[in-house]
Amino acid sequence: MIPGARLVLLGRQGAGKGTQCARLSRHYVVPHISTGDMLRAAVREGTEFGRKAEEYMHAGELLPDDIMVGIVDERLESDDTRTRGFVLDGFPRTVAQAEALLEITSPRGINVVIDLEVPREVVLARLASRRVCNDCGTNYSVDLPPKYDMVCDVCGGDVVQRDDDTEKAIAQRLALYDRETEPLIEWFQGKGLLDVVDGTGHPDDVTDRLVRTIDRRREP
Ligand code: AMP
């Protein structure tokens, strides 16, 4: 059996992070932990927390660090992540979250943090055409839709445009990424944990590049 892995993917929204995290999760047989998906599930459940989260998400703002760290800490406590590992998608997004992550995962730490690099113009075009399954979070696009009209190939859920993929919210999220999350790249570089992977081209080629990079970093 392929040994597990403890991975973090960074990259602008629309860089293909969600798709690649799902693929890496299958390849290394580790849970795909997407904080955005967890929050959207809470919104659908209509809990009080979900309603609060929705306000931030609609405004294109980040939820407070302590809340996000609490959610991820709890998830990383479960048996599957403790034994096999994880691929983190959408977390950390701030230096405070990154500091907390290294503490939470200590002493084993993480194998590698990957910056999935895609130019801004490509990202904008991808976000405008992105469609996503309401139930399992699988990503599609206008150019690569599910086989049957807007019915998810994986789980049969409804494939829709995300509520927060409006032009205004997209512009705000990209600005927020530049301000809050991009500094993380240098921060992780300083810790010797960062690799940059080219996220352009066919998704299969991107996955190959990611796996090669990750395998160089994992312990034998
Ligand atoms: P995503 O699906 O990763 O683009 O996340 C959707 C939205 O959820 C973001 O725009 C934020 O409002 C919120 N969110 C997700 N992850 C985080 C995080 N690590 N810190 C703060 N807010 C988050």
Side-chain angles (χ1 to χ4, degrees):
M1 188 193 231
I2 301 170
R6 298 181 303 284
L7 313 169
V8 175
L9 250 73
L10 300 177
R12 288 197 174 83
Q13 285 81 6
K17 240 180 334 121
T19 303
Q20 294 300 333
C21 282
R23 287 169 170 226
L24 293 175
S25 136
R26 285 195 292 271
H27 183 88
Y28 292 105
V29 201
V30 292
H32 171 190
I33 301 179
S34 156
T35 44
D37 284 350
M38 289 163 91
L39 295 174
R40 280 184 287 278
V43 170
R44 278 200 302 278
E45 279 162 21
T47 58
E48 198 184 326
F49 169 67
R51 280 193 292 276
K52 259 249 91 50
E54 194 173 21
E55 286 172 22
Y56 286 96
M57 293 161 85
H58 264 300
E61 284 171 17
L62 294 182
L63 272 77
D65 286 335
D66 54 340
I67 294 182
M68 295 311 301
V69 168
I71 292 176
V72 171
D73 190 8
E74 195 180 322
R75 181 63 187 85
L76 292 183
E77 278 288 309
S78 27
D79 284 349
D80 55 349
T81 48
R82 281 224 306 259
T83 51
R84 300 275 321 147
F86 48 81
V87 47
L88 269 177
D89 173 8
F91 185 96
R93 262 174 153 102
T94 64
V95 171
Q97 292 181 12
E99 280 168 348
L101 177 67
L102 291 194
E103 240 171 70
I104 292 168
T105 53
S106 159
R108 299 181 78 196
I110 37 192
N111 299 122
V112 59
V113 176
I114 292 180
D115 174 25
L116 193 58
E117 210 177 46
V118 174
R120 202 185 173 85
E121 345 40 287
V122 178
V123 155
L124 277 172
R126 281 191 191 170
L127 283 174
S129 81
R130 171 160 77 176
R131 300 293 180 271
V132 60
C133 173
N134 236 339
D135 290 337
C136 73
T138 298
N139 276 309
Y140 300 93
S141 72
V142 171
D143 306 322
L144 281 175
K147 246 187 259 143
Y148 301 103
D149 193 30
M150 294 304 143
V151 174
C152 179
D153 293 342
V154 177
C155 75
D158 287 338
V159 174
V160 297
Q161 182 159 33
R162 260 170 56 165
D163 285 350
D164 59 351
D165 274 349
T166 62
E167 212 173 302
K168 188 164 165 249
I170 288 171
Q172 191 154 354
R173 269 161 37 228
L174 288 176
L176 195 69
Y177 181 86
D178 291 344
R179 196 174 68 235
E180 299 282 352
T181 308
E182 194 154 35
L184 280 185
I185 291 167
E186 215 168 291
W187 193 86
F188 278 120
Q189 213 155 25
K191 307 257 172 226
L193 282 170
L194 191 93
D195 273 323
V196 180
V197 170
D198 175 8
T200 59
H202 194 281
D204 292 348
D205 297 330
V206 178
T207 309
D208 285 346
R209 274 177 230 141
L210 285 167
V211 168
R212 273 201 306 274
T213 304
I214 293 162
D215 285 347
R216 272 201 303 269
R217 289 274 194 165
R218 280 187 323 153
E219 58 271 9

